[in-house]
Amino acid sequence: PELEQMILSMMQKQNNINKSEESKQPHTKKSKLTSTGKPKAQAAEPIRSLEDSKKIQDYFYNKQSDRDMMMFSVGISVGLRISDLLSLRFSDVMYDDYTFKPYIDIVEQKTDKVTHTALDDCLITKSVIDAIELYMCSLEHKPNMDDYLFPSQKGGHLDTRSAHKILKKMSRDLGLDKKYNIGTHSLRKTFGYWTIKLNPNDNNALIGLQAMYHHSSERTTLGYTGITKDETRAFRNKLSDFYESVI
């Protein structure tokens, strides 16, 4: 498959680069601690199992945390940066008559780029609509269009730090912290991971993600979504199986 060949080629190029850099520099072991002595933060990972995604949705549903379930469901469905996701208002996803727009059209806070382009329409899919409608059913009154989609009890919208705590607690409660390092970036990464997994031989899926993430290379996108890590594990397992069969 073209995608597998591309990953192999990228891995080989990176190995060559790493070897070249190692030959020029003395070997030093990287510290796992920050300058203040605290453990360095580990990169958030995508949810690699659809069963685990369902467990997370059920967890929030059973806790009657409709806002948090909506945050997770919408987050893995649209792939926005967490800061852009949490700052959404109802007017960003629906019209004044409460019918849904075809896509979310916002300016990303980090890049000041409008997300609606030919390559990266932020579509409002059925999974997004279902999550929002379920949340709206839990409200006493219909929301105003200026209301935040993810309100905070303190006023304004839920902030990134609070969202991170919500996801970390969920991860611990479900025992998923032993399987993944779940954080706010996991939502955006899960969107990308499954986009590629469901379109394994479609390079346009990878190109579209690269454009949406504003990455400079396809290799960066593959690494960010966790695909490179998955493929590396698969290649190593294949090699191990080969050794066992001949040695």
Side-chain angles (χ1 to χ4, degrees):
E2 293 182 10
L3 181 59
E4 184 170 324
Q5 292 176 355
M6 183 184 300
I7 293 172
L8 281 170
S9 175
M10 289 177 177
M11 289 173 62
Q12 184 60 49
K13 289 180 180 178
Q14 186 60 45
N15 285 336
N16 292 338
I17 292 172
N18 290 341
K19 288 179 181 178
S20 175
E21 291 178 347
E22 287 175 0
S23 65
K24 296 177 182 177
Q25 299 177 3
H27 177 71
T28 55
K29 189 175 181 180
K30 291 184 178 180
S31 173
K32 295 183 178 180
L33 303 177
T34 65
S35 58
T36 59
K38 295 181 179 179
K40 289 183 178 178
Q42 300 298 307
E45 297 177 280
I47 309 301
R48 292 180 169 87
S49 163
L50 294 178
E51 182 181 350
D52 288 336
S53 291
K54 183 64 167 58
K55 285 181 181 177
I56 294 171
Q57 290 177 320
D58 289 344
Y59 169 84
F60 288 128
Y61 180 80
N62 292 332
K63 287 190 63 178
Q64 297 184 328
S65 301
D66 299 301
R67 180 204 61 184
D68 300 340
M69 187 175 79
M70 177 176 62
M71 175 184 69
F72 177 78
S73 300
V74 174
I76 65 174
S77 297
V78 299
L80 289 174
R81 286 188 178 88
I82 190 65
S83 56
D84 296 315
L85 177 71
L86 297 179
S87 63
L88 289 176
R89 298 176 187 268
F90 279 92
S91 58
D92 294 317
V93 298
M94 57 177 53
Y95 299 110
D96 290 340
D97 62 356
Y98 295 95
T99 58
F100 284 88
K101 295 180 177 180
Y103 56 82
I104 301 171
D105 191 5
I106 64 171
V107 176
E108 293 186 327
Q109 294 181 14
K110 184 175 179 180
T111 64
D112 286 334
K113 293 180 180 178
V114 178
T115 60
H116 176 55
T117 68
L119 282 175
D120 58 8
D121 279 2
C122 194
L123 293 175
I124 297 180
T125 59
K126 186 178 184 303
S127 60
V128 173
I129 293 174
D130 288 346
I132 295 176
E133 286 184 336
L134 182 63
Y135 170 69
M136 290 176 64
C137 287
S138 70
L139 302 177
E140 294 183 1
H141 306 286
K142 277 189 174 183
N144 295 318
M145 288 298 108
D146 286 338
D147 289 347
Y148 284 111
L149 203 57
F150 306 99
S152 169
Q153 294 179 347
K154 300 176 182 178
H157 63 75
L158 190 68
D159 59 35
T160 301
R161 185 175 181 180
S162 298
H164 181 79
K165 289 182 178 179
I166 290 168
L167 293 173
K168 282 296 185 185
K169 184 178 187 307
M170 170 276 297
S171 179
R172 290 192 300 271
D173 289 349
L174 292 178
L176 293 178
D177 56 332
K178 299 177 179 63
K179 191 173 183 179
Y180 310 102
N181 182 33
I182 295 179
T184 53
H185 277 294
S186 295
L187 307 183
R188 183 168 164 87
K189 289 185 176 185
T190 299
F191 170 84
Y193 178 86
W194 284 104
T195 295
I196 295 178
K197 277 292 186 181
L198 294 175
N199 302 278
N201 300 315
D202 187 355
N203 284 338
N204 288 328
L206 178 58
I207 293 171
L209 279 176
Q210 181 187 344
M212 179 190 137
Y213 289 151
H214 306 299
H215 287 163
S216 59
S217 69
E218 293 173 347
R219 179 168 63 84
T220 301
T221 301
L222 289 169
Y224 179 81
T225 56
I227 294 294
T228 302
K229 189 173 184 178
D230 271 11
E231 295 296 341
T232 300
R233 288 173 177 170
F235 297 148
R236 290 183 184 278
N237 285 330
K238 286 181 181 179
L239 183 60
S240 176
D241 292 342
F242 171 73
Y243 285 157
E244 289 184 4
S245 66
V246 298
I247 298 177

